[in-house]
Each structure stands twice: as structure tokens, then as C-alpha cells.
Amino acid sequence: MTTATDLETTLLGPVLADRSCGDCTACCTVLQVDSPDFRKPAGVACVHLGAAGCGIHPVRPKICRIWFCVWRRVAALPDAARPDRSGLLVSVNFVADAQNCFEGVSINIRLLPGSRAIEDGMAATVLDRLCDGLVPVWFSDGEHKMLMHPDNEVAGHVVDGTPAPSRLADEVAAWRGLYGPFAS
Ligand code: SF4
Ligand code: SF4
């Protein structure tokens, strides 16, 4: 979790009024929290997380009040994609030491341990709903991650600056307009 929530709203829109976390507490375990008043490592349950959810909910840290996963913001994702139901935690990632121009700000679809989202098709559904704009989308199992959007051919032209074939020219130009300055 980060505190760059204004950028998340710019990229994805506001938190949806008709979506709630319900019994989901995935982010309280899966994610690293690095905020001024609260830190926890990734993959470790928060010390305040109990069987009934957050044990300090009325006074939880600010980051926990203002941060929401992508499922809470994107209506195109089905109810069944809620992280505790799907085993997919989708978040906006900010990487300070990005390896390429598509990593600095991106959507990350994380496959949680035990998830059957690949087998039951939910991973494909989530990818379909999110890979439709000019925000890079990665898919990860928590250790390794793959760039899913844009596809490899488009990404290569954006990163290398090589001329794109006419069938890809408009798409490559659109990505380069936003991410080209960060490609070198
Ligand atoms: S992962 Fe999303 S739905 Fe689950 S508790 Fe966190 S913000 Fe709520
Ligand atoms: S303080 Fe509460 S809401 Fe925040 S990570 Fe811990 S359990 Fe979750």
C-alpha cells in the first residue's frame, strides 16, 4: 500500500459507493505497508488482524482508511472478483526503481496462494476487464511477474523506439506519448 491515492483515483476513478470489503481482509496480509505511521512486511498478517477482521478498526492507521484495492474502484470487475472470493488481489503499484517504463506506475494482478482463478477463468475475466486502456497491467504470483498489457510486440517498440508496423502504429504512438519519456 502507498499513500498515492490521488493518482489511483486519477487512473481508476473513485471508490465505488456500492462496494464494500465484507469479510475480505486480503490486503491486511498480502501487501507490504509502508506509510509514515504504520509499516508491515508483505505476506504477513497484520498484528491487528483477528478472526473477526481488524481489531482496531475504529482507530486503524490512516493508510488503512484511504487505501482500496482495484476491485473497490472498477465496476467492470465482477462481484466474484473480490479478492477473498477470487484469490486475485489487484492493486496499483508504484515502483521507485522501475526496470522499464511500464513498471513505475501499473496495475498488478496478484495470484494469491491457493487461488484457482486461472483454472476457473476468473483471471482471464479480470485481465479482459483491465487490459483496455493506457495503464500497464502485470500478472504476478507474488514472486515473478509478467507484463500482460501492452503485449510484447507493442511494448518492445515503445521501449526500443523502433518503428512499428502500420497495424500497430497508433497503439505504439499512444503508449509512447505517455511512457516514452521514461523508456530510456
Ligand atoms: S483487498 Fe480490497 S476488498 Fe479486500 S479488504 Fe482490501 S480493500 Fe477490501
Ligand atoms: S490495521 Fe487493521 S486495516 Fe490496517 S492492515 Fe492491520 S488489520 Fe488491516
Side-chain angles (χ1 to χ4, degrees), residues 142-161:
E143 292 185 11
H144 306 99
K145 64 180 188 179
M146 296 176 292
L147 181 64
M148 309 299 290
H149 179 67
D151 68 28
N152 284 344
E153 190 176 6
V154 171
H157 288 297
V158 174
V159 170
D160 299 341

Side-chain angles (χ1 to χ4, degrees), residues 1 25-29 31 33 38 40 44-50 53-57 59-65:
M1 300 182 194
T25 58
C27 55
C28 301
T29 294
L31 298 183
V33 182
F38 180 54
K40 72 170 273 308
V44 176
C46 173
V47 295
H48 303 297
L49 183 63
C54 178
I56 59 167
H57 193 263
V59 293
R60 64 196 186 285
K62 179 182 177 184
I63 186 69
C64 304
R65 299 171 186 272

Side-chain angles (χ1 to χ4, degrees), residues 20-21 24-28 67-69 71-72 82-84 89:
S20 64
C21 297
C24 183
T25 58
C27 55
C28 301
W67 187 90
F68 297 93
C69 71
W71 180 81
R72 290 288 310 265
R82 198 175 80 180
D84 61 328
L89 177 48

